[in-house]
């Protein structure tokens, strides 16, 4: 299992607010190489499948509504220790708890609308990257 890749989505709130460029700049400045990148929109079935691990949680319906309401930017990122370093860069799930300078501290509005996704393990990074990208879209 490779340990140098993670998967991210700039969520609909980031796209709506015009934060794509600023967030990609933070990602580049932190030393991640962009392996794959696209703007796309998830269907309800896509979001339900992507977040299936959360389907018993009380916020699941709200999460699916949010993640499908507009386009996202999906990306695969490469760097040593990618999963952990990216989670550090984005900050805590709830922006109120996120460290200063993190992407969620800077750009997230709330625990629900929290600007970015970051994979939580090497295994999920591979699964989530393959969910959004074919081999021909990875460089
Ligand atoms: P993570 O994105 O930091 O890994 P998870 O616990 O995996 O956080 O939750 C997935 C996503 O579900 C969060 O990023 C957020 O958009 C949403 N979410 C998590 N907890 C809540 C909540 O308590 N209320 C509303 N939405 C939530
Ligand atoms: Mg998670």
């Amino acid at each position: 299992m490779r340990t140098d890749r993670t998967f991210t989505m700039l969520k609909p709130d980031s796209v709506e607010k015009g934060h794509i460029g600023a967030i990609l700049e933070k990602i580049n400045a932190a030393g991640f190489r962009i392996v794959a990148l696209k703007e796309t929109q998830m269907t309800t079935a896509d979001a339900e499948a992507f977040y299936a691990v959360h389907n018993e949680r009380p916020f699941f319906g709200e999460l699916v509504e949010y993640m499908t309401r507009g386009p996202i930017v999906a990306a695969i990122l490469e760097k040593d220790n990618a999963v952990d370093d990216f989670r550090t860069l984005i900050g805590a799930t709830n922006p109120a708890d996120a460290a200063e300078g993190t992407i969620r501290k800077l750009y997230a509005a709330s625990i629900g609308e929290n600007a970015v996704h970051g994979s939580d393990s090497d295994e999920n990074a591979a699964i989530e990257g393959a969910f959004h990208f074919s081999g021909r879209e990875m460089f």
Side-chain angles (χ1 to χ4, degrees):
M1 174 70 55
R2 62 191 302 166
T3 60
D4 63 344
R5 286 189 178 181
T6 191
F7 172 78
T8 187
M9 294 182 287
L10 314 192
K11 297 182 176 182
D13 53 323
S14 292
V15 176
E16 288 159 8
K17 293 174 182 170
H19 291 157
I20 296 172
I23 294 173
L24 290 179
E25 178 56 33
K26 292 275 295 177
I27 290 170
N28 269 324
F32 291 89
R33 186 179 77 79
I34 294 174
V35 173
L37 181 72
K38 69 180 161 194
E39 187 163 358
T40 184
Q41 185 162 357
M42 289 201 282
T43 65
T44 297
D46 289 336
E48 287 172 352
F50 188 92
Y51 283 111
V53 65
H54 293 305
N55 65 11
E56 303 289 317
R57 309 282 286 277
F59 58 82
F60 185 66
E62 181 188 329
L63 175 59
V64 171
E65 279 282 315
Y66 161 51
M67 289 303 298
T68 58
R69 79 174 184 219
I72 61 158
V73 172
I76 297 172
L77 306 174
E78 193 169 271
K79 181 185 185 295
D80 287 348
N81 200 37
V83 166
D84 286 348
D85 285 3
F86 193 70
R87 297 285 304 197
T88 299
L89 179 66
I90 68 177
T93 306
N94 187 345
D97 301 329
E100 287 301 327
T102 60
I103 291 172
R104 282 170 166 165
K105 185 69 169 186
L106 288 166
Y107 299 112
S110 67
I111 191 170
E113 302 209 2
N114 60 2
V116 282
H117 170 80
S119 302
D120 64 6
S121 67
D122 293 327
E123 183 185 15
N124 284 334
I127 293 168
E128 293 170 358
F131 186 95
H132 282 276
F133 295 100
S134 71
R136 291 184 60 190
E137 297 175 298
M138 300 177 194
F139 297 94

